[in-house]
């Protein structure tokens, strides 16, 4: 099918909004979004076959290694519709699927009029499929249901078409069937996108308003801002203004992504593209801000999207203290690329200077740390993840605690912890084992629905602290990998929570402290004391490792002293001679213990604070 040659020459000033379709691809993780995007790039001929590679839009090494999408990617595709033989511009955004990157999806939806909801024909509807569908419905988007991977031997398109139709409220025959791998049905999907998704609506004569939905930092060109124009137009050399900060810039370049950056004369109503102003300060281009014309500014900001709320906090500290300024700079640049990252300076007696960072989940935390280490060449220690608590002390004063070291001493009136509503989708044979796991994690059953004869949706309220560690791993192992999980915060609830301190020779080590439920305090204290006994090298004197709640010791392990054999020279004689030498040695050890300090090696911190999860790279090495 012939394609419009977009990448050969700059675009005419502005495309007619009636010829534009903005859509994104949403699905659960590993349902084939990036593969389908690859086929669309090939069929529309914006990428030459010799330059084509798998996961073309996944630009980061870490995305390609893990086989997951972390960043949303926008691309402009030309298409001639089979319905009316007209030429159209399709602005597609490929989105991540993991629950930790829901914020990326919500930003993409704000820039679109329609969404392609992708469901794997072999796995069926999963938790994140539902979560992303509800997000799209909240944004009033047109949803096109699509069944992917119909070429698989295990595919059951008829069964899942019925499930999907019941969910969306359409007929099973309305669900399109495609194969992202072979390209089967993709042309039909592109034609349906043109037919079903409405064109963008805006006032071309009004003052310019464009929504910033993403930004990246280029070391040569500064901040590159991705925008969706809602009203008016933006042209090269325009003076623009950020509406939230009032900062003025001159545009050096405007263009579209097709899929490489292609400069154009400007962007009109409904168009998606990029702006370059040469600005190096990463804080001047906030995601969710509105760009307008400086000389003819708009009066009202676009209702972008709410700021993300971190779910998990962890401290990041450089191994070398001198790397602290480099870590600050790397976090500044990464925050521009990842708007969900929140951080503030923090110092620890054990680990030195670092940052307290807020993440959307454990995978988000792992990815951020790996990106900082790769992109900035840093070596980092991350402390055990914790959630945000609201603590009311004995004086009735409310405190927000993101770090166990901030937990107040003395009498505590009440501790509130964040609660999430979890949705678990799994085959019905695993209901018993899932309910058992949720009960162990202090869960409360909200309800259960059968999506079909053998698939069930279970809804629970759970404390966030119970699911950030290994809940997902446990769920997968108990259901042989068939269960899927999605969760959303629903507020706070009071709980019987205590702070467990780890003492080395009666001195608190703040990095090992944790806020846990009273029922699990003993288990945490035992595991940490045993772990530290094995990790800390033996000293010349005996070192007690204790776990304490306030002034009460709940667990203890002892690192035995390295002893010199002072009886070696006593080869005979009275026992009192030997006793005298041993008493003399004991006195020396006592004095040494009074002045000696226990040095905890960095390796012990890293091993003790690791969450017990191996990265995929480590698993591969073991294989």
């Amino acid at each position: 099918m012939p394609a419009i040659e977009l990448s050969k020459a700059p675009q005419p000033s502005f495309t007619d909004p009636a010829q534009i379709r903005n859509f994104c691809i949403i699905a659960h993780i590993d349902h084939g979004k990036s593969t389908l995007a690859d086929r669309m790039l090939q069929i529309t001929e914006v990428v030459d076959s010799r330059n084509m590679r798998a996961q073309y839009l996944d630009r980061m090494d870490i995305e390609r290694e893990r086989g997951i999408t972390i960043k949303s990617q926008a691309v402009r595709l030309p298409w001639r519709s089979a319905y009316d033989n007209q030429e159209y511009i399709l602005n597609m955004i490929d989105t991540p699927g993991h629950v930790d990157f829901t914020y990326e999806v919500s930003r993409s939806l704000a820039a679109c009029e329609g969404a392609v909801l992708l469901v794997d024909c072999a796995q069926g509807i999963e938790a994140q499929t539902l979560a992303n569908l509800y997000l799209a419905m909240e944004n009033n988007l047109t949803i096109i249901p699509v069944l992917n991977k119909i070429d698989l031997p295990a595919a059951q398109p008829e069964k899942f078409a019925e499930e999907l139709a019941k969910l969306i409220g359409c007929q099973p025959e309305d669900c399109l069937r495609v194969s992202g791998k072979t390209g089967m049905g993709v042309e039909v999907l592109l034609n349906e996108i043109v037919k079903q998704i409405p064109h963008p609506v805006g006032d071309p004569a009004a003052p310019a308003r464009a929504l910033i939905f993403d930004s990246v930092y280029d070391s040569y060109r500064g901040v590159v801002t991705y925008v969706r124009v809602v009203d008016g137009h933006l042209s090269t050399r325009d003076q623009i203004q950020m509406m939230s900060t009032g900062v003025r810039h001159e545009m050096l370049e405007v263009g579209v992504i097709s899929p490489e950056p292609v400069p154009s004369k400007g962007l009109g109503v409904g168009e998606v593209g990029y702006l370059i102003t040469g600005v190096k300060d990463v804080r001047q281009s906030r995601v969710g801000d509105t760009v307008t014309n400086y000389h003819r500014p708009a009066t009202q900001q676009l209702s972008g999207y709410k700021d993300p709320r971190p779910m998990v906090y962890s401290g990041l500290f450089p191994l070398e203290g001198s790397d602290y300024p480099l870590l600050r700079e790397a976090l500044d640049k990464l925050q521009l690329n990842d708007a969900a990252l929140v951080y503030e300076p923090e110092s620890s007696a054990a680990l030195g200077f670092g940052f307290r960072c807020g993440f959307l989940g454990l995978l988000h935390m792992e990815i951020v740390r790996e990106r900082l280490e790769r992109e900035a060449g840093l070596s980092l220690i991350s402390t055990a993840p914790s959630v945000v608590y609201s603590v009311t002390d004995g004086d009735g004063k409310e405190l927000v605690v993101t770090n166990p070291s901030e937990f107040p001493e003395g009498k505590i009136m009440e501790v509130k912890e964040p609660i999430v509503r979890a949705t678990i989708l799994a085959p019905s044979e695993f209901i018993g084992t899932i309910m058992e796991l949720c009960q162990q994690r202090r869960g409360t059953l909200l309800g259960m629905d059968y999506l079909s004869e053998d698939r069930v949706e279970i809804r629970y309220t759970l404390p966030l602290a119970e699911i950030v560690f290994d809940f997902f791993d446990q769920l997968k192992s108990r259901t042989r990998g068939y269960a899927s999980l999605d969760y959303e915060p629903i507020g706070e609830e009071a709980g019987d929570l205590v702070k467990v301190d780890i003492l080395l020779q009666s001195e608190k080590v703040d990095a090992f402290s944790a806020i846990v439920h009273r029922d699990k305090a003993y288990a945490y204290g035992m595991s940490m004391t045993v772990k530290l006994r094995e990790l800390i090298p033996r000293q010349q004197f005996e070192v007690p490792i204790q776990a304490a709640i306030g002034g009460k010791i709940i667990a203890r392990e002892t690192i035995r002293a390295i002893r010199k054999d002072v009886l070696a020279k006593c080869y005979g004689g009275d026992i009192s001679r030997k006793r005298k030498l041993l008493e003399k040695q004991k006195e020396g050890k006592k004095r040494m213990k009074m002045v000696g300090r226990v040095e905890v090696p960095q390796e012990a911190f890293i091993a003790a604070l690791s969450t017990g999860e191996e990265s995929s790279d480590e698993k591969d090495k073991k294989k």
Side-chain angles (χ1 to χ4, degrees):
M1 202 168 278
I4 311 167
E5 288 294 322
L6 274 175
S7 49
K8 303 293 183 210
Q11 296 303 298
S13 295
F14 312 112
T15 309
D16 178 5
Q19 304 301 110
I20 297 173
R21 299 290 183 272
N22 296 324
F23 72 98
C24 59
I25 305 174
I26 55 175
H28 188 81
I29 194 166
D30 199 32
H31 276 215
K33 295 178 296 298
S34 298
T35 310
L36 179 62
D38 286 348
R39 293 297 77 73
M40 287 182 173
L41 294 175
Q42 272 189 315
I43 288 169
T44 54
E45 298 175 16
V46 292
V47 179
D48 294 337
S49 52
R50 69 173 182 274
N51 295 328
M52 193 64 203
R53 62 172 195 267
Q55 287 177 264
Y56 189 88
L57 294 177
D58 290 348
R59 304 297 170 90
M60 286 188 279
D61 291 342
I62 192 168
E63 287 181 308
R64 307 187 69 76
E65 286 168 19
R66 289 171 176 252
I68 59 171
T69 302
I70 295 164
K71 283 290 298 169
S72 296
Q73 295 290 347
V75 64
R76 183 176 171 120
L77 308 170
W79 185 247
R80 187 181 291 276
S81 170
Y83 290 118
D84 55 10
N85 205 31
Q86 293 279 318
E87 293 176 345
Y88 289 90
I89 295 296
L90 309 180
N91 288 313
M92 177 191 73
I93 303 178
D94 178 27
T95 64
H98 195 279
V99 62
D100 283 12
F101 304 113
T102 305
Y103 183 62
E104 286 281 327
V105 181
S106 71
R107 286 161 42 189
S108 306
L109 293 170
C112 296
E113 279 78 35
V116 171
L117 181 68
L118 210 58
V119 172
D120 185 331
C121 253
Q123 296 179 61
I125 296 166
E126 300 202 51
Q128 202 59 32
T129 313
L130 289 174
N132 289 341
L133 170 63
Y134 297 148
L135 272 177
M137 285 175 166
E138 281 171 26
N139 283 270
N140 297 319
L141 300 192
T142 301
I143 293 154
I144 301 177
V146 178
L147 293 167
N148 191 23
K149 306 189 185 181
I150 56 167
D151 56 311
L152 289 179
Q156 297 173 281
E158 304 306 323
K159 177 187 172 185
F160 294 127
E162 281 189 30
E163 277 188 31
L164 198 50
K166 200 189 298 180
L167 196 65
I168 293 174
C170 63
Q171 296 303 312
E173 53 269 21
D174 295 338
C175 299
L176 302 179
R177 291 157 170 76
V178 304
S179 167
K181 191 175 183 182
T182 64
M184 191 193 312
V186 178
E187 289 191 16
V188 175
L189 172 59
L190 289 167
N191 288 324
E192 285 298 321
I193 287 167
V194 170
K195 184 183 176 184
Q196 292 187 36
I197 293 177
H199 63 78
V201 178
D203 184 355
R209 289 197 304 167
L211 179 71
I212 300 177
F213 68 90
D214 207 357
S215 301
V216 293
Y217 185 83
D218 185 294
S219 50
Y220 298 105
R221 315 185 77 184
V223 177
V224 181
T225 305
Y226 294 99
V227 296
R228 148 76 198 268
V229 180
V230 176
D231 292 322
H233 60 81
L234 296 169
S235 305
T236 315
R237 296 295 170 187
D238 273 357
Q239 298 279 328
I240 60 165
Q241 182 178 358
M242 303 295 173
M243 288 189 76
S244 69
T245 57
V247 181
R248 172 184 173 183
H249 304 294
E250 183 179 349
M251 281 200 293
L252 305 178
E253 185 176 310
V254 182
V256 296
I257 318 286
S258 184
E260 304 305 323
V262 180
S264 68
K265 292 177 184 175
L267 297 171
V269 171
E271 290 196 87
V272 175
Y274 68 90
L275 315 174
I276 295 175
T277 57
V279 172
K280 296 282 184 181
D281 185 354
V282 294
R283 287 166 296 217
Q284 290 184 13
S285 189
R286 281 183 58 245
V287 166
D289 201 353
T290 303
V291 178
T292 189
N293 195 302
Y294 180 74
H295 296 296
R296 192 181 166 220
T299 53
Q300 194 176 355
Q301 272 189 279
L302 293 166
S303 55
Y305 19 76
K306 56 181 185 284
D307 285 334
R309 194 163 147 253
M311 305 277 269
V312 179
Y313 281 84
S314 174
L316 283 179
F317 296 86
L319 274 176
E320 298 294 328
S322 56
D323 285 344
Y324 177 73
L326 296 175
L327 177 58
R328 180 191 288 277
E329 196 180 319
L331 280 165
D332 273 345
K333 287 176 182 172
L334 187 58
Q335 191 181 37
L336 179 77
N337 192 242
D338 184 350
L341 174 65
V342 178
Y343 63 91
E344 58 183 30
E346 178 186 47
S347 65
S348 158
L351 301 170
F353 291 101
F355 291 91
R356 189 86 191 150
C357 302
F359 308 97
L360 298 181
L362 279 192
L363 179 67
H364 186 212
M365 175 180 139
E366 200 182 322
I367 296 294
V368 166
R369 180 180 163 179
E370 202 163 326
R371 284 186 69 184
L372 286 169
E373 289 182 340
R374 286 183 185 209
E375 293 168 20
L378 296 165
S379 295
L380 302 172
I381 298 175
S382 59
T383 61
S386 66
V387 299
V388 189
Y389 297 96
S390 297
V391 182
T392 308
D393 63 13
D395 302 329
K397 198 164 79 176
E398 268 199 37
L399 304 162
V400 175
V401 174
T402 61
N403 186 346
S405 63
E406 296 168 3
F407 199 86
E409 301 291 335
K411 191 180 177 188
I412 303 294
M413 302 276 280
E414 188 181 52
V415 183
K416 287 184 178 176
E417 60 181 335
I419 301 293
V420 296
R421 177 194 165 107
T423 305
I424 300 165
L425 268 74
S428 50
E429 64 188 278
F430 299 115
I431 291 174
T433 186
I434 291 169
M435 291 178 83
E436 184 191 3
L437 174 65
C438 293
Q439 300 291 356
Q440 287 171 5
R441 300 303 176 97
R442 301 189 280 135
T444 307
L445 182 66
L446 289 176
M448 196 188 305
D449 287 319
Y450 280 84
L451 298 178
S452 64
E453 287 176 16
D454 56 354
R455 279 183 76 73
V456 67
E457 176 190 320
I458 307 171
R459 294 179 301 283
Y460 264 91
T461 56
L462 287 153
L464 178 61
E466 294 287 349
I467 64 172
V468 293
F469 271 105
D470 61 347
F471 182 82
F472 191 55
D473 290 347
Q474 289 284 330
L475 182 67
K476 284 287 186 187
S477 64
R478 284 171 182 241
T479 59
R480 299 204 296 273
Y482 285 112
S484 59
L485 168 75
D486 177 55
Y487 59 86
E488 58 175 348
I490 55 168
E492 291 182 328
E493 206 173 86
D496 187 9
L497 301 161
V498 292
K499 178 189 174 190
V500 179
D501 287 310
I502 302 297
L503 287 70
L504 270 182
Q505 209 176 320
S506 304
E507 280 186 26
K508 288 180 188 174
V509 184
D510 59 349
F512 296 134
S513 298
I515 299 166
V516 295
H517 193 268
R518 195 178 292 274
D519 294 347
K520 300 193 174 181
Y522 175 70
Y524 175 79
M526 279 298 294
S527 69
M528 281 303 284
T529 50
V530 169
K531 209 187 270 190
L532 288 172
R533 189 192 68 191
E534 292 166 2
L535 294 167
I536 296 172
R538 288 170 71 184
Q539 314 285 321
Q540 290 279 352
F541 48 90
E542 192 177 83
V543 179
I545 306 168
Q546 297 163 311
I549 299 173
K552 184 184 175 186
I553 305 298
I554 57 168
R556 171 179 169 136
E557 290 287 333
T558 306
I559 301 173
R560 293 181 57 210
I562 301 170
R563 296 178 71 101
K564 181 184 172 188
D565 187 3
V566 291
L567 303 180
K569 58 188 177 185
C570 288
Y571 45 83
D574 194 68
I575 186 69
S576 58
R577 285 183 66 206
K578 294 182 181 178
R579 201 170 286 139
K580 190 178 172 186
L581 286 168
L582 288 170
E583 288 297 324
K584 197 175 174 185
Q585 185 187 39
K586 199 194 255 179
E587 286 298 316
K589 295 277 182 202
K590 230 183 247 177
R591 276 200 305 276
M592 201 182 284
K593 190 171 184 174
M594 284 163 68
V595 296
R597 288 192 70 242
V598 183
E599 293 296 330
V600 183
Q602 294 282 21
E603 299 78 38
F605 273 112
I606 297 166
L609 295 173
S610 65
T611 55
E613 292 176 16
E614 294 176 275
S615 68
S616 52
D617 302 340
E618 286 167 345
K619 285 175 186 170
D620 291 342
K621 280 175 196 167
K622 283 186 181 177
K623 282 176 191 173

